[in-house]
């Protein structure tokens, strides 16, 4: 559900899931303008190889803040229970 919610946003060009634990190879292939990470990460805690690739390719890393009261899990639960 989360991937469909993100993909439906007008400002989002593409969303995909991947089986690997690291996004490094996808950053190298896709070369996005920016890469969004959840607020449980910081520039210091992002995996070193991923950050190095992003820096090398000029990919801006955006740390997105958690918005209290807004949660894809809560939205999914509301849909399931309605």
């Amino acid at each position: 559900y989360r991937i469909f919610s993100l993909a439906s946003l007008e400002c989002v060009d593409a969303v995909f899931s991947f089986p690997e634990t690291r996004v490094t190879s996808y950053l190298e292939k896709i070369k996005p303008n920016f890469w969004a990470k959840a607020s449980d990460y910081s520039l210091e805690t992002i995996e070193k190889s991923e950050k190095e690739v992003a820096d090398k390719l000029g990919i801006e890393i955006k740390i997105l803040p958690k918005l209290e009261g807004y949660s894809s899990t809560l939205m999914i639960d509301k849909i399931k229970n309605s």
Side-chain angles (χ1 to χ4, degrees):
Y1 294 112
R2 287 176 182 89
I3 201 166
F4 296 117
S5 296
L6 287 170
S8 71
L9 297 172
E10 187 176 323
C11 61
V12 175
D13 292 327
V15 178
F16 65 96
S17 63
F18 51 92
E20 295 84 6
T21 57
R22 301 288 178 245
V23 73
T24 310
S25 65
Y26 297 101
L27 292 174
E28 292 174 321
K29 290 175 188 169
I30 298 169
K31 298 178 183 139
N33 293 323
F34 69 90
W35 171 36
K37 296 291 285 180
S39 62
D40 50 335
Y41 289 93
S42 70
L43 292 177
E44 292 75 32
T45 61
I46 293 173
E47 211 289 315
K48 184 179 176 182
S49 65
E50 292 176 330
K51 185 167 183 326
E52 287 173 352
V53 166
D55 290 343
K56 178 180 80 173
L57 297 173
I59 299 167
E60 184 179 353
I61 301 170
K62 303 254 187 187
I63 306 296
L64 303 179
K66 181 177 182 177
L67 300 175
E68 292 301 322
Y70 293 92
S71 158
S72 56
T73 302
L74 289 175
M75 286 190 281
I76 292 166
D77 288 343
K78 284 181 185 178
I79 291 167
K80 285 181 178 178
N81 295 323
S82 63

